[in-house]
Amino acid sequence: MTMSKKLSPQYNPKDVEDRIYRMWEQSGFFNPDVCVRKKATTKNAGVFSMVLPPPNVTGTLHLGHAFETTLQDIMVRFHRMRGERTLWIPGTDHAAIATQAKVEDMLYKKEGKTRHDLGREEFLKRVERFAQESRDTIVHQIKKMGASLDWSREAYTLDEKLNLAVRTAFVRMYKAGLIYHGSRMINWDPRLKTVISDDEIEWKEERTEFYYLQYGPFVIGTARPETKFGDKYVVMHPNDRRYAKYAHGQKIELEWINGPITATIIKDRAIDMAFGTGVMTITPWHDTTDFDIAERHHLDKEQVIDYDGKLLPIAGEFAGIHIKKARTMIVEKLKMKGLLVRTDTDYTHRIATNSRGGGVIEPQLKEQWFVAVNKEFRMPHSKITSIKKGQHITLKGIMLHVVKSKQVEIMPKRFEKTYVHWVNNLHDWCISRQLWYGHRIPVWYRSTDTHGKRNGKTCVGIRPPQGKGWEQDPDTLDTWFSSGMWTFSTLGWPHATPDLKNYHPTSVIAPGYEILQLWVSRIILMSGYLLGDIPFRRVYFHGIVRDKDGRKFSKSSGNGIDPLEVIASCGTDALRMSMTVGIGPGSDVRFDMDKVKAYRNFTNKLWNIGRFILLHHVEREKAADKVNFSPKQKKDLRELATLVKKVTKHLDAFAFHHAAELLYHYTWHTFADKIIEETKPQLTGGDPGKRAQAAVFLLEIYATLLKLLHPFMPFVTEEIWSRLPGAGTRKKKNLLIVEQWPK
RNA sequence: GGGCGCUUAGCUCAGUGGUAGAGCGCUGCUUUUACACAGCAGAGGCCCAAGGUCCGAUCCCUUGAGCGCCCACCA
């Protein structure tokens, strides 16, 4: 009776959660090595391993992270309780461009300075400081979610350990010819002064004017007259009868923006005869399509816009003017010269912006480092089924093969199509960035001429070369290059560590579907080449958490909710349940505080069932260890056994929403509403033996429920568990986190 | 222009080839000694539309409508 007095009629998560989490941490059970040592599992037990998709150190976590963390922790706790050697690795991502942009922004707002005012070294110190603060906040938030991560293995994508992995990867891929330095069309952000990859682009619709210009005998259409200075090729379809009298290669004299020029006729099938006038001029330096046409016909390519977004001398009187300003001026001049035929005003087109900073992307022809995805190479080693060592293959080939052959299973299945489609259309991956925060490219040059042209020696190596005069490439690597190695760099690669041997390939990875291209596919690529292996057996994609009205959470709409606020008002267990029940795999979630409250009520219900049972605990003391159950009780226990089977089956199938709902329903509407109510007369009756028998019976079911509910609601279940007397046949009492999963 | 997803109770969403489910909300009763963050009772649905397959469809197939997302170099 004494214990029950301590229990208040309302469960108060604030009194419980931090204490319980500390207890788990001190127990060491988040670490599988400790689990083996303390006999919570064995050396030869099966393995369940997973990496936490590392959050960016750009600030704080949002409800999407809470959702993601919940799903993963459910898996991890389930597998740990099943006695598997369970490892879940935490960490954070330096998120090069996002973090740098954020710090630059703050620096400018607070001090009016740019990164160049501070210099590379000082600026990086600032970024490091910011990253460290973010990392602390994030770790705190993750712990508040109850995540049972092995903090002794925490990693950061910029750790020296991971930096070695990155350099090693770069060097190996370079030597295999899979990383090359070359001049290609890239996406240039004039604001952040860096290149970004195709996948970092965010397209925005924009209404602009569409101009029809007189170009000699032709009329051409354009939305961007400010790029047209260098246009000296006019292209049309070879089958276009309207222009049959013009021959490929024919020269035409015409009056253009800044005076007379000689244009050359080009016939190319890329032209859409039905669009506009069926004729266009090309700007090969600043447009992918135009570049391809120019390549096919060996045409000149001239830069028109510089890397600050200003026009170059080729623009004559407009040189030095920013393209934003230049457009109206140029249109004005065209009008004066009578070259403007007409203007459409309701033209919408899509402009590319940098999703990490918002700058408008200007395509440029520029030298960068790339990963060649379509280049054939000999597989250096392979654990992948039906790809042999020495076999000729491409990176794209590996990426497709492991998924199509189900060595990597994508769930829900519909995302497999997205993956395959994306990989099929994959272009070479631009991995260099003109940023300061990130992994420095492990390439050194000697003797550069005054124009910055490398006419001397190049050294690509894991360590700096010996001798004088070597200068390291100033650029850094795409943040996804290092996070693409996350599943194995965190386990110690390139060293052959025990962790790598024990826990790789990982069992599952559970990111949001929006990160399929950016991250998941990159890990498969990197792991496929560098380890000749799959990085994980399963990808379980979850959806996006939206607000009550279905909008995405974002800073601009000011609808962000801090998970910690929700936890403060309803507790972590309630938040976790609300992000589990009723959410189909891969579907988006609308966050609703009312739903959290509903599960806070459930948490309280579970708590009060415990209170009630403990109230009658004294009766149980007098009972024999083993009691005989009545036929009705046996029937109830059989029903419980069925529940155990169903819940286990659903968890194995990643159907967390089903498992949670079953448990919710059984606990409340079968156990509390029916079984307990039916047992009450016996429990409060005059026969002490029967009273004790009833208490044992209820405790039997309740103990099983606490175990089943633990992955979903770890705090309240562990707390109640710690107060329960030994139930049924249990001899020694463990922490619930390592209790054996019911069979 | 391709591809994908969604359309089920007032709201948010699960779900199944055989008379429809949850949470919240709503109505009525109950301050019963675990819980009012509760209990009991209840109202509420041509499961988007039209065809087809089937003994039988909300679930499978076809077409269409509305909404949403992803991908794509239309100047």
Side-chain angles (χ1 to χ4, degrees), chain A residues 617 619-631 633-634 637 679 682-683 687-701 726-730:
Chain A
H617 157 60
E619 307 292 350
R620 185 245 170 262
E621 302 272 287
K622 296 174 194 147
D625 264 358
K626 199 134 189 160
V627 300
N628 291 317
F629 294 118
S630 72
Q633 287 173 331
K634 282 183 182 163
L637 290 171
T679 310
Q682 193 189 325
L683 203 62
D687 185 334
K690 282 191 174 173
R691 289 208 301 265
Q693 197 268 3
V696 171
F697 168 66
L698 292 182
L699 193 53
E700 182 77 19
I701 297 179
T729 53
R730 268 185 306 115

Side-chain angles (χ1 to χ4, degrees), chain A residues 635-673:
Chain A
K635 185 172 162 278
D636 287 340
L637 290 171
R638 278 197 304 275
E639 202 183 321
L640 179 69
T642 309
L643 177 76
V644 170
K645 274 202 191 109
K646 281 185 186 165
V647 168
T648 307
K649 204 181 96 195
H650 285 314
L651 284 174
D652 270 329
F654 299 81
F656 310 115
H657 60 312
H658 282 155
E661 180 155 4
L662 278 176
L663 284 166
Y664 174 91
H665 206 263
Y666 179 88
T667 303
W668 202 316
H669 300 299
T670 300
F671 187 49
D673 290 350

Side-chain angles (χ1 to χ4, degrees), chain A residues 68 179 295 410 474 535 550 648 698:
Chain A
E68 184 169 280
I179 285 179
E295 282 287 276
I410 292 181
T648 307
L698 292 182

Side-chain angles (χ1 to χ4, degrees), chain A residues 320-333:
Chain A
I321 299 175
H322 196 276
I323 48 171
K324 262 191 197 163
K325 277 194 199 163
R327 184 180 298 178
T328 45
M329 297 166 70
I330 293 162
V331 170
E332 201 52 42
K333 180 162 187 194

